[in-house]
C-alpha cells in the first residue's frame, strides 16, 4: 500500500488490511443512498475561465496543377497590374506563367530561348533577369530587352525599390533608374548578391558585407563601410526588423541568421538568443523577405519559417512550414507576401514543383469549430459511426469514402459527447440529431453481435457499402449479424469497452431521453455484466475465449509479465470505473460486490493509485494509447464514485498521471483535468492548442528531420520510446499540432516525424470534444458571454 497524507485514504488502508467490512461495506451503503448525484467540477474561477479573443488562423493550400509540365518556379512577382489569384505572377525558367482562371496556363517565353533566373515587379512591367540580360514584358504579352549584363558575368540577384532596380552579378552591381543605361560598379571579389536596405545597398561577398549609398547618379563608387562576417553564403537581407527586437540588418546566410545595428561608419552585431543555431528551426536558407508583422520569413532547402509574436505566454517564436502540408516540396525558391480578401496577409512559397499559399483569417476558436463539425458530417459519418475518411485521389477531399477502423467506438464517442455538450450549451436541434444518430450506432455495437455481453470493434452495413471489401472484410475477425445485413468486427479490445463507458455516463445524464436512458442502462449492464460473469474478461462469442486485449481480471492486472509491467493500472481503472457506472445506471448490487472483491482481494486501488508511476508500469509510460485510455477510464471512475475516501484515492492516481500528461500542452488532457477537479489546474495552453490545431486533417507525411530547434522530451516519454522520433522545441514547448503529423490522442504527441500519407483524412472529433466540454462546464467563454 502507498502511504499518503490523507486520513480517509489511511482509513481505506486500515480497513482493507483488516477485514472486508469497514470502508468497502460503506461503499455499498453510500451507493444505496437515494438521490446520489454525479460529481461535477468546481466552479471555474480566475484564469480557469478562458476568453476567446480573435486571432489569425492560417490555412494551407498546395497547388501543383495548372503549371506547365516540368515547370520550375524561379520567382514570384506580386503586382496589381496583372490579373491572377492574389495578384502574384509565377515566373518559371521559360518566362511568365499566366493563368486564365480556368486552369489553363499561358507561358510568355523569354526571347532567344533565354532561361529566367529572377524577377521583380517594376514600374513599367515585370522585369525578368536571365544569365545575360534584363527584360521587361511592359505588362503585355511579349518581352523587350532592357540591357545586357557585362560580358562573362553570372547573374546573382535582382531587387526593386520604388523606381530603382538593383542588379547584382558576380562581377559587380548596378542601380538602374528605369531609363538610359545602368552604371556598373565592379567588385574585386565575386559578389553573392545585393539588396536594398533603406537608403543604402548591401552587397555580399564571401566573408564580407559592403554598404553603398544610393544617390541621383546611381550608387556611390566606393562603399560607405565594409565588415567581415562569418555568415557564409548570403541569400537575403531584411532591413528594419522589429521582431524579436529592433534589428537594422538581418543577414540570412548559409551559416544561419545574423543581426546588425547600423552605426556611423559601420555596423555592430546584435546579441539575440533567437538567432542562435539552437533556436533557428531550419538551415540551408535559399531566400528571405520582410514580414508584414515586423518580422521576417526565410525560405530554405527544407521548407520555410518566419518569426511571430502572437502568444503572450510564449512571446516571439518561430512558425515553421514544411512539405507536404504547406507546400508541395522543397527547396523554397521564392517568397511573396499577398493581401487576402479581408486584408489579412497571406504567404506564397514557390518550390520546384508548384507552390503553397498560406491564407489567414481573423476568427475566434468558436468560429473555427464550425467547419470542424461540418467536416465530420460531410466526410466521416458512416451510419452514425465516426472514423478516418479514405481518399481515392491523393489530397482530394471530394474523393472521400467513409471508412471503418479498428476502434470505431473509440472515435465515435468523442463526436457523440461533443454534440451532447453542444446541444446542452446552444439548444441546437441539429446537435441533438447528431447525438441521437451516433448513440443508436454505439448501442448497435452490442445488439448486432447477437449477444447480451459482447460489443464489436466496428460494423459495416452491407447495403450501400462503398468500401473495398464489402463482400467479406479481411482485416481482422468479422462475422455476419443475425439479420445478415451487417458485418461485425470481433476480437474487441479493452479500448472499445473503455470508450463506451467513457461516453455513456454523460450521455445518460445530459442528453438521453427516457427510452435512450433505458437503452444505455441495458447496454452497460449487458457488457459489464458479461465481463463480471466471465471472470472479468470480455469473451468472444465466436470461440468462447477472452479476446486478445479484453482482460480486466486479477490474472492480468497482477500478472508479473503483463499488467504489472504494462497497463495493469489502466485496466484496473477501466474496470472499477465501469463498475461505478454500471451500478449508477442499474442499481444492481453485483457491481458493488465485484468492486469490493477487486479492491479488497486484488489491490486494484493500489494499481490505480500508481497508474502514472513509470517505475511501476514502465511499458505504459509515454505510450499515447495507455494515456488516452486512462483518461477515458477516469471519467466514470471519478464521476460516479460514491465514497469520498476512495474518490480521494482515485484523484491521487489521476494527479500523478496528469503530472506527466500536462507536458503535452494538449487541450484534451488539460480540459479533462479541470473537469475532474484535479490539482492546480492550469489552462494557459488550451486556447493556444485550439488555435494551432490544423484546419487540414489529411494525414500528410511530415518531414521534420532537418529541424535544428530540437531538444529532448521529459523522461516519462522516453521510457517507452527511447529511440523513437520524439522531440520538442529547444524553447521547451511541444511542436504545435500544425507543424507535426496529424495524429489522434492515442499516440505520443511528441512525435514530430511521420504520417499516414495523402489518402486519409482524420475526422478531428477528439479535438472538438474538449472545446464543447469546456463550454458546458464554463471553462471557455462563448461568443455571447
Amino acid at each position: 500500500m502507498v502511504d499518503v497524507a490523507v486520513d480517509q485514504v489511511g482509513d481505506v488502508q486500515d480497513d482493507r488490511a483488516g477485514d472486508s467490512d469497514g470502508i468497502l461495506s460503506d461503499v455499498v451503503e453510500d451507493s444505496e443512498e437515494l438521490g446520489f448525484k454525479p460529481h461535477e467540477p468546481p466552479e471555474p474561477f480566475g484564469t480557469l475561465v478562458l476568453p476567446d479573443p480573435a486571432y489569425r488562423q492560417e490555412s494551407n493550400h498546395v497547388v501543383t496543377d495548372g503549371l506547365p509540365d516540368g515547370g520550375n518556379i524561379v520567382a514570384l512577382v506580386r503586382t496589381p497590374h496583372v490579373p491572377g489569384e492574389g495578384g502574384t505572377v509565377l515566373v518559371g525558367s521559360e518566362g511568365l506563367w499566366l493563368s486564365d482562371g480556368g486552369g489553363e496556363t499561358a507561358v510568355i517565353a523569354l526571347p532567344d530561348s533565354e532561361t529566367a533566373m529572377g524577377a521583380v515587379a517594376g514600374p513599367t512591367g515585370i522585369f525578368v533577369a536571365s544569365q545575360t540580360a534584363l527584360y521587361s514584358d511592359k505588362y503585355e504579352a511579349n518581352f523587350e530587352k532592357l540591357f545586357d549584363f557585362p560580358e562573362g558575368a553570372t547573374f546573382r540577384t535582382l531587387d526593386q525599390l520604388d523606381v530603382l532596380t538593383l542588379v547584382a552579378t558576380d562581377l559587380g552591381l548596378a542601380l538602374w533608374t528605369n531609363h538610359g543605361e545602368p552604371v556598373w560598379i565592379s567588385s574585386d571579389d565575386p559578389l553573392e548578391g545585393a539588396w536594398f536596405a533603406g537608403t543604402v545597398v548591401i552587397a555580399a561577398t564571401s566573408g564580407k558585407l559592403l554598404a553603398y549609398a544610393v544617390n541621383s547618379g546611381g550608387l556611390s563608387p566606393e562603399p560607405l563601410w565594409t565588415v567581415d562576417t562569418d555568415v557564409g553564403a548570403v541569400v537575403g537581407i531584411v532591413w528594419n526588423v522589429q521582431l524579436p527586437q529592433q534589428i537594422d540588418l538581418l543577414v540570412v546566410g548559409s551559416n544561419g541568421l545574423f543581426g546588425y545595428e547600423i552605426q556611423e561608419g559601420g555596423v555592430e552585431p546584435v546579441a539575440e538568443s533567437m538567432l542562435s543555431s539552437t533556436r533557428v528551426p531550419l538551415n540551408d536558407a535559399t531566400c528571405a523577405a520582410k514580414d508584414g508583422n515586423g518580422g521576417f520569413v526565410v525560405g530554405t532547402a527544407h521548407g520555410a519559417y518566419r518569426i511571430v509574436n502572437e502568444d503572450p505566454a510564449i512571446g516571439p517564436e518561430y512558425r515553421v512550414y514544411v512539405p507536404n502540408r504547406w507546400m508541395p516540396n522543397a527547396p523554397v525558391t521564392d517568397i511573396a507576401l499577398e493581401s487576402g480578401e479581408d486584408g489579412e496577409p497571406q504567404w506564397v512559397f514557390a518550390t520546384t514543383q508548384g507552390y503553397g499559399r498560406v491564407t489567414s483569417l481573423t476568427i475566434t476558436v468558436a468560429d473555427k469549430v464550425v467547419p470542424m463539425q461540418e467536416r465530420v458530417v460531410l466526410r466521416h459519418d458512416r451510419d452514425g459511426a465516426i472514423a478516418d475518411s479514405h481518399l481515392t485521389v491523393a489530397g482530394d477531399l471530394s474523393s472521400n469514402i467513409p471508412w471503418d477502423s479498428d476502434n470505431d467506438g473509440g472515435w465515435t464517442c468523442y463526436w457523440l459527447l461533443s454534440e451532447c455538450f453542444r446541444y446542452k450549451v446552444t439548444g441546437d436541434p441539429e446537435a441533438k440529431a447528431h447525438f441521437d444518430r451516433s448513440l443508436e450506432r454505439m448501442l448497435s455495437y452490442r445488439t448486432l453481435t447477437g449477444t447480451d455481453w459482447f460489443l464489436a470493434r466496428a460494423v459495416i452495413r452491407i447495403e450501400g457499402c462503398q468500401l473495398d471489401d464489402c463482400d467479406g472484410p479481411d482485416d481482422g475477425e468479422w462475422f455476419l449479424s443475425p439479420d445478415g445485413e451487417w458485418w461485425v468486427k470481433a476480437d474487441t479490445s479493452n479500448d472499445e469497452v473503455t470508450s463506451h463507458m467513457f461516453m455513456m455516463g454523460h450521455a445518460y445524464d445530459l442528453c438521453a431521453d427516457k427510452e435512450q436512458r433505458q437503452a444505455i442502462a441495458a447496454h452497460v449492464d449487458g457488457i459489464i455484466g458479461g465481463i463480471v460473469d466471465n471472470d472479468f474478461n470480455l469473451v468472444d462469442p465466436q470461440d468462447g475465449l477472452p479476446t486478445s486485449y479484453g482482460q480486466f481480471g486479477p490474472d492480468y492486472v497482477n500478472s508479473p509479465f503483463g499488467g504489472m509491467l504494462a497497463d495493469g493500472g489502466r485496466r484496473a481503472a477501466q474496470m472499477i470505473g465501469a463498475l461505478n457506472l454500471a451500478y449508477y445506471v442499474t442499481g444492481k448490487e453485483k457491481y458493488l460486490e465485484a468492486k469490493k472483491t477487486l479492491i479488497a482481494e486484488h489491490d486494484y486501488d493500489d494499481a490505480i493509485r500508481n497508474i502514472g508511476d513509470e517505475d511501476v508500469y514502465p511499458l505504459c509510460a509515454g505510450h499515447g494509447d495507455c494515456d488516452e485510455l486512462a483518461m477515458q477510464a477516469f471519467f466514470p471512475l471519478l464521476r460516479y464514485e460514491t465514497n469520498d475516501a476512495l474518490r480521494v484515492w482515485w484523484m491521487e492516481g489521476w494527479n500523478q498521471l496528469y503530472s506527466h500528461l500536462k507536458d503535452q500542452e494538449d487541450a484534451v488532457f488539460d480540459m479533462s483535468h479541470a473537469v475532474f477537479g484535479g490539482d492546480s489546474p492550469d489552462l494557459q495552453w488550451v486556447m493556444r492548442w485550439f488555435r494551432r490545431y490544423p484546419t487540414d486533417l489529411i494525414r500528410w507525411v511530415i518531414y521534420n528531420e532537418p529541424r535544428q530547434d530540437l531538444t529532448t522530451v521529459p523522461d516519462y516519454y522516453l521510457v517507452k520510446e527511447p529511440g523513437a522520433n520524439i522531440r520538442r522545441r529547444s524553447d521547451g514547448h511541444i511542436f504545435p499540432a500544425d507543424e507535426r503529423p496529424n495524429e489522434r490522442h492515442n499516440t505520443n504527441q511528441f512525435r514530430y516525424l511521420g504520417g499516414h500519407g495523402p489518402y486519409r483524412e482524420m475526422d478531428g472529433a477528439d479535438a472538438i470534444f474538449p472545446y464543447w466540454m469546456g463550454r458546458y462546464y464554463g471553462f471557455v467563454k462563448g461568443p455571447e458571454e
Side-chain angles (χ1 to χ4, degrees):
M1 296 294 294
V2 179
D3 292 327
V4 292
V6 178
D7 292 339
Q8 287 181 305
V9 175
D11 291 341
V12 175
Q13 296 171 300
D14 295 339
D15 289 328
R16 211 193 61 192
D19 54 40
S20 60
D21 294 327
I23 192 71
L24 291 171
S25 61
D26 290 343
V27 171
V28 177
E29 294 172 4
D30 292 345
S31 302
E32 291 173 347
E33 292 180 4
L34 297 177
F36 168 75
K37 293 182 179 180
H39 293 275
E40 300 287 359
E43 288 292 327
F45 61 91
T47 58
L48 294 183
V49 180
L50 302 175
D52 187 12
Y55 72 99
R56 184 178 296 170
Q57 174 66 57
E58 292 187 333
S59 299
N60 57 314
H61 310 271
V62 175
V63 179
T64 57
D65 56 352
L67 305 178
D69 293 340
N72 180 25
I73 301 176
V74 298
L76 297 167
V77 177
R78 175 85 175 117
T79 172
H81 299 287
V82 177
E85 183 179 5
T88 297
V89 177
L90 307 180
V91 181
S93 55
E94 297 178 356
L96 303 184
W97 297 346
L98 299 180
S99 173
D100 64 358
E104 297 296 326
T105 302
V107 179
I108 304 176
L110 290 174
D112 304 323
S113 301
E114 288 267 48
T115 299
M117 305 298 295
V120 294
T124 60
I126 297 176
F127 296 168
V128 178
S130 72
Q131 279 285 24
T132 63
L134 184 68
Y135 296 86
S136 172
D137 75 332
K138 292 188 176 180
Y139 297 118
E140 298 174 355
N142 55 56
F143 278 104
E144 174 187 348
K145 182 185 289 188
L146 298 175
F147 56 85
D148 291 310
F149 303 157
E151 185 176 353
T154 299
F155 172 79
R156 293 302 190 201
T157 60
L158 187 63
D159 201 5
Q160 186 76 27
L161 180 65
D162 298 327
V163 297
L164 302 178
T165 304
L166 178 67
V167 179
T169 72
D170 62 334
L171 299 183
L173 53 84
L175 189 68
W176 184 57
T177 59
N178 295 305
H179 60 82
E181 293 294 323
V183 178
W184 289 88
I185 298 176
S186 61
S187 174
D188 295 334
D189 298 317
L191 289 183
E192 296 171 346
W195 298 267
F196 285 109
T199 59
V200 299
V201 166
I202 306 297
T205 67
S206 178
K208 184 180 294 185
L209 298 178
L210 306 92
Y212 293 89
V214 177
N215 55 47
S216 58
L219 295 174
S220 59
E222 297 296 330
L224 297 173
W225 49 260
T226 64
V227 62
D228 294 332
T229 72
D230 57 355
V231 301
V234 178
V235 300
I237 286 178
V238 185
W239 60 284
N240 194 24
V241 169
Q242 304 299 314
L243 286 176
Q245 61 164 295
Q246 172 65 42
I247 299 175
D248 295 335
L249 286 180
L250 180 77
V251 182
V252 182
S254 58
N255 292 341
L257 304 182
F258 299 83
Y260 293 93
E261 178 187 359
I262 298 179
Q263 299 179 346
E264 186 175 354
V267 294
E268 287 293 330
V270 172
E272 171 52 61
S273 61
M274 288 201 68
L275 304 185
S276 68
S277 60
T278 60
R279 294 295 300 276
V280 175
L282 296 172
N283 283 341
D284 304 318
T286 57
C287 52
K290 196 169 186 176
D291 197 346
N293 68 353
F296 56 87
V297 58
V298 177
T300 78
H302 317 290
Y305 63 88
R306 67 188 185 98
I307 197 165
V308 298
N309 187 11
E310 299 173 344
D311 194 324
I314 291 180
E317 62 180 319
Y318 285 108
R319 183 91 169 92
V320 181
Y321 310 89
V322 296
N324 294 302
R325 175 180 290 142
W326 296 102
M327 60 195 69
N329 70 322
V332 176
T333 56
D334 202 6
I335 301 167
L337 175 62
E338 298 180 341
S339 179
E341 293 182 2
D342 64 350
E344 295 287 358
Q346 56 187 35
W347 288 102
V348 183
F349 299 114
T351 74
T352 56
Q353 296 179 13
Y355 60 93
R357 175 170 272 109
V358 181
T359 61
S360 64
L361 292 172
T362 298
I363 62 172
T364 64
V365 172
D367 298 325
K368 181 174 182 174
V369 168
V370 175
M372 294 174 68
Q373 293 163 174
E374 293 172 348
R375 174 198 294 118
V376 175
V377 175
L378 288 173
R379 295 191 294 275
H380 297 274
D381 185 334
R382 192 187 75 256
D383 294 307
I386 307 301
D388 274 8
S389 177
H390 285 213
L391 308 177
T392 59
V393 179
D396 183 356
L397 297 178
S398 67
S399 69
N400 79 292
I401 298 175
W403 214 257
D404 67 284
S405 76
D406 249 9
N407 297 105
D408 268 13
W411 314 136
T412 304
C413 68
Y414 288 115
W415 174 245
L416 186 150
L417 283 180
S418 297
E419 291 300 86
C420 176
F421 287 129
R422 182 164 78 94
Y423 175 65
K424 294 298 289 185
V425 170
T426 67
D428 189 342
E430 180 185 63
K432 181 61 163 67
H434 294 159
F435 168 85
D436 292 343
R437 177 177 169 85
S438 289
L439 178 61
E440 178 183 4
R441 183 56 49 235
M442 291 287 282
L443 295 172
S444 77
Y445 287 131
R446 181 180 66 94
T447 59
L448 288 176
T449 66
T451 72
D452 289 333
W453 75 90
F454 193 68
L455 77 166
R457 284 183 175 270
V459 295
I460 299 173
R461 187 194 300 271
I462 296 174
E463 182 180 355
C465 176
Q466 295 178 286
L467 310 185
D468 62 352
D469 51 4
C470 299
D471 295 332
D474 57 6
D475 58 332
E477 299 180 18
W478 293 83
F479 62 91
L480 284 172
S481 62
D483 60 11
E485 296 180 3
W486 297 79
W487 287 112
V488 178
K489 193 168 191 177
D491 199 24
T492 305
S493 73
N494 66 91
D495 302 36
E496 289 294 302
V497 174
T498 304
S499 295
H500 279 247
M501 300 306 112
F502 156 62
M503 53 74 51
M504 289 295 174
H506 271 99
Y508 182 92
D509 291 333
L510 302 183
C511 296
D513 57 30
K514 181 178 180 180
E515 184 176 341
Q516 289 171 328
R517 286 165 65 91
Q518 292 173 346
I520 289 173
H523 185 76
V524 173
D525 189 29
I527 295 168
I528 305 307
I531 290 174
V532 171
D533 293 342
N534 286 285
D535 296 325
F536 301 102
N537 292 308
L538 180 66
V539 172
D540 195 310
Q542 302 299 296
D543 56 20
L545 298 175
T547 62
S548 298
Y549 303 101
Q551 305 91 354
F552 298 91
D555 289 345
Y556 179 86
V557 168
N558 295 324
S559 63
F561 299 107
M564 289 292 285
L565 292 176
D567 63 340
R570 273 71 173 175
R571 303 261 182 123
Q574 292 166 2
M575 192 67 254
I576 298 299
L579 291 171
N580 280 351
L581 177 63
Y583 180 77
Y584 174 70
V585 298
T586 69
K588 292 184 177 180
E589 192 168 325
K590 66 180 287 187
Y591 298 118
L592 294 178
E593 290 299 322
K595 177 181 175 181
K596 176 179 178 179
T597 297
L598 295 177
I599 293 175
E601 300 178 17
H602 301 290
D603 299 341
Y604 272 42
D605 54 342
D606 276 346
I608 296 171
R609 172 59 181 80
N610 293 321
I611 196 170
D613 190 332
E614 61 265 43
D615 294 328
V616 177
Y617 297 111
L619 298 184
C620 244
H623 192 290
D625 193 52
C626 285
D627 291 338
E628 183 199 37
L629 290 176
M631 177 206 74
Q632 291 187 354
F634 271 97
F635 272 83
L637 183 67
L638 291 168
R639 183 171 172 81
Y640 302 109
E641 180 54 64
T642 60
N643 181 272
D644 291 340
L646 284 178
R647 194 171 190 280
V648 170
W649 193 258
W650 309 149
M651 282 302 305
E652 288 289 324
W654 168 257
N655 285 325
Q656 181 192 53
L657 178 61
Y658 181 70
S659 69
H660 305 298
L661 300 184
K662 67 181 181 180
D663 290 328
Q664 298 189 43
E665 299 172 6
D666 189 302
V668 176
F669 296 124
D670 291 350
M671 194 61 72
S672 297
H673 182 67
V675 169
F676 294 158
D679 282 351
S680 304
D682 180 0
L683 300 183
Q684 66 171 322
W685 306 114
V686 167
M687 298 308 284
R688 172 181 169 84
W689 184 89
F690 283 133
R691 290 192 292 265
R692 293 299 299 271
Y693 192 78
T695 59
D696 168 18
L697 290 187
I698 293 176
R699 306 190 82 166
W700 302 107
V701 175
I702 300 298
Y703 299 103
N704 269 318
E705 292 94 333
R707 286 191 70 149
Q708 304 298 304
D709 57 335
L710 306 176
T711 191
T712 188
V713 303
D715 290 344
Y716 177 80
Y717 294 95
L718 293 174
V719 176
K720 173 65 178 175
E721 304 181 80
N725 295 314
I726 53 175
R727 298 288 188 275
R728 58 178 167 175
R729 296 192 320 195
S730 56
D731 64 358
H733 295 292
I734 196 167
F735 290 108
D738 59 0
E739 294 183 14
R740 50 187 164 94
N742 284 331
E743 297 284 1
R744 297 181 183 275
H745 291 85
N746 65 331
T747 63
N748 187 324
Q749 299 295 292
F750 287 102
R751 291 182 188 171
Y752 73 113
L753 304 175
H756 296 271
Y759 293 93
R760 291 176 63 178
E761 184 192 39
M762 203 164 65
D763 57 83
D766 54 335
I768 308 171
F769 157 70
Y771 173 77
W772 284 111
M773 182 168 65
R775 285 284 302 277
Y776 174 75
Y777 282 116
F779 292 105
V780 178
K781 285 189 176 181
E784 70 284 353
E785 297 177 81

